[in-house]
Amino acid sequence: MTHDAGGAALGPGTLLLVVGPSGAGKDTLIDIARDRFAGDDRVLFARRLVTRPSGTGEAHGTVSEAEFEALKAQGRFPLSWRAHGLSYALGPEVAQEIAAGGVVVANGSRATLPEARRRFARVRVVHVTAPVPVRAQRLATRGRESAADIEERLRRSPEVDVAPDLVIENVGAPADGGAQLCGFIAEERAAVA
């Protein structure tokens, strides 16, 4: 679904991936941007499919592992990955919006950036980060994981061979980081218009 018969990457729109370590505040900044661009039909905020039950934090689509594998085998996902013992994917609406020339904003994985660059003609990367103590507090507050699971998440730091287009050090008020993300989305929307 993401390539034509000749193997060209999907475009002309932009896949704007918001990446960073667990607890950096990616979902909070994405929510601020989603509110800012509500009603803008050229900006889509992707709803990830995840093999985790719905709960605290990110609103996502839930599928079983079997459903996930079946959809993946059918080529329904323009991008999918595994992280933290779960499977994640962007749905077919992402490919449709990018083919129509829009900007798709998605919470992504640093480890999948090289694959995203192969699959999409225009990829922009926003790396959201925060110091470990800040991230530890945020992870504990969301209440999804045990202390041991949080400690394991904080130890992980995948190597990434794709430089980000924007780095947001998300330590101040959420509105500050949200404004940086909104400004970047607006610039990208203008660039692909």
Side-chain angles (χ1 to χ4, degrees), residues 148-170:
D149 290 339
I150 290 171
E151 189 174 316
E152 174 61 27
R153 274 189 186 259
L154 293 172
R155 275 198 301 265
R156 282 190 220 122
S157 184
E159 292 298 317
V160 178
D161 62 358
V162 176
D165 299 290
L166 172 67
V167 175
I168 298 174
E169 181 76 17
N170 191 25

Side-chain angles (χ1 to χ4, degrees), residues 66-133:
E67 290 169 318
F68 187 95
E69 290 304 322
L71 291 167
K72 184 176 176 181
Q74 294 168 16
R76 299 290 307 271
F77 302 144
L79 190 64
S80 64
W81 63 95
R82 288 205 46 90
H84 314 298
L86 301 169
S87 296
Y88 296 81
L90 302 181
E93 70 281 359
V94 168
Q96 294 164 358
E97 184 65 25
I98 288 174
V103 175
V104 175
V105 180
N107 183 337
S109 168
R110 291 169 286 173
T112 198
L113 292 177
E115 181 66 15
R117 293 261 194 228
R118 284 189 292 275
R119 291 179 174 260
F120 297 90
R122 189 173 177 92
V123 176
R124 295 293 180 259
V125 178
V126 175
H127 185 220
V128 178
T129 189
V132 170

Side-chain angles (χ1 to χ4, degrees), residues 166-189:
L166 172 67
V167 175
I168 298 174
E169 181 76 17
N170 191 25
V171 294
D176 296 339
Q180 289 179 64
L181 179 58
C182 288
F184 190 76
I185 293 168
E187 289 172 12
E188 192 56 32
R189 185 188 178 283

